[in-house]
Amino acid sequence: MLSSVNGLNEVLADNHYPGRGVLWCRTGDGDTLGAYFLTGRSRASQARALRRTPESELIVAPSEARAHDHLRHYVAARQSGRWLVFGNGEQVATVAERLDSGLVPALALDGLDYEPDPPIFTPRLTVVADGRDAGQAWFGAARHSSGTRTATNRLTLQVSGLAPGEGVLMSTYRSDGHAVATGEPLAEVRIAAGNRSGLLEELWTSLPLQLRIAAAVFSPGGLAEADIRQAAPAQS
């Protein structure tokens, strides 16, 4: 029993601005799933959509005509052979290409850097999930030091053996409603959802109402059938 672990809705409800986030979990029916979400405060951030491509990737794209912004528009999820890769930036494509070249997940996640967006320096969060072993995944986080050091802190976490109702969450930010800082490295969470559609509902309703942009739930090998929830696009 996960008495010391908070529920997904509690963890997100306690964070006034989670930014972008990755989740790897197992629902009550035993299905092992990945999820990705976006929240945003600025008009440019909110004017985005999460879309499937003909290649069955998930991309974060502008919801209206605008120039490409490499920090806001990127491949968010890609299937690379046996590996499902998802995360919050252009590093997803880089990690997928490394896996294609034969690197193991821990090495494919190495050498990444946080985003060049001072003063926050947004972490780059990436998950590599094994399609042959549905319970196994690697989380990578490239983070700025909490001090003045500019060298990147790179964290790699291997997760396996999730029981129904268990999950691991990473989000880019942590906010009390006033100040915004980079989020905690990770949170183990309880999942209340009994199935895939319930997980998307649980995730979506846990996000701050005014900041919701998009969320998706998917399985290894199943990006073409990803379930997506999208807020009405903002106009800028």
Side-chain angles (χ1 to χ4, degrees):
M1 182 174 180
L2 302 174
S3 57
S4 63
V5 177
N6 290 325
L8 175 64
N9 58 343
E10 296 172 277
V11 172
L12 289 173
D14 190 47
N15 187 351
H16 291 262
Y17 182 36
R20 291 164 280 169
V22 292
L23 172 69
W24 181 245
C25 68
R26 197 171 179 195
T27 48
D29 61 1
D31 203 3
T32 306
L33 300 165
Y36 184 64
F37 68 81
L38 305 104
T39 61
R41 299 184 300 173
S42 71
R43 294 177 71 87
S45 290
Q46 291 188 352
R48 293 183 294 172
L50 192 56
R51 297 173 178 161
R52 301 182 192 86
T53 70
E55 295 77 25
S56 298
E57 295 177 333
L58 293 183
I59 63 169
V60 178
S63 57
E64 56 190 40
R66 64 172 61 243
H68 177 79
D69 179 338
H70 72 100
L71 292 181
R72 288 194 176 99
H73 310 138
Y74 48 86
V75 175
R78 173 182 290 178
Q79 191 74 37
S80 178
R82 67 185 277 189
W83 308 108
L84 168 65
V85 187
F86 58 102
N88 71 323
E90 57 187 7
Q91 81 278 1
V92 168
T94 299
V95 171
E97 289 165 3
R98 291 174 178 178
L99 292 166
D100 284 342
S101 73
L103 290 182
V104 297
L107 293 179
L109 291 165
D110 192 23
L112 303 177
D113 292 311
Y114 52 80
E115 293 186 1
D117 59 343
I120 295 180
F121 297 109
T122 302
R124 293 194 191 274
L125 309 178
T126 319
V127 179
V128 177
D130 189 347
R132 296 181 187 172
D133 180 350
Q136 187 164 220
W138 289 256
F139 283 70
R143 300 169 56 91
H144 190 278
S145 166
S146 58
T148 59
R149 181 169 49 85
T150 59
T152 304
N153 290 333
R154 299 184 179 96
L155 310 178
T156 304
L157 172 74
Q158 184 177 353
V159 175
S160 61
L162 291 175
E166 293 181 335
V168 176
L169 171 74
M170 284 185 175
S171 62
T172 55
Y173 305 135
R174 171 77 190 169
S175 175
D176 59 4
H178 303 285
V180 176
T182 53
E184 296 297 324
L186 66 99
E188 292 187 81
V189 295
R190 289 196 317 274
I191 303 299
N195 55 33
R196 178 182 177 132
S197 61
L199 177 62
L200 183 58
E201 179 69 16
E202 181 179 357
L203 176 59
W204 185 251
T205 56
S206 299
L207 298 173
L209 176 61
Q210 301 302 321
L211 302 182
R212 294 173 190 163
I213 297 174
V217 171
F218 38 79
S219 58
L223 281 180
E225 294 78 39
D227 297 322
I228 299 174
R229 186 77 62 87
Q230 184 80 43
Q235 299 299 315
S236 61

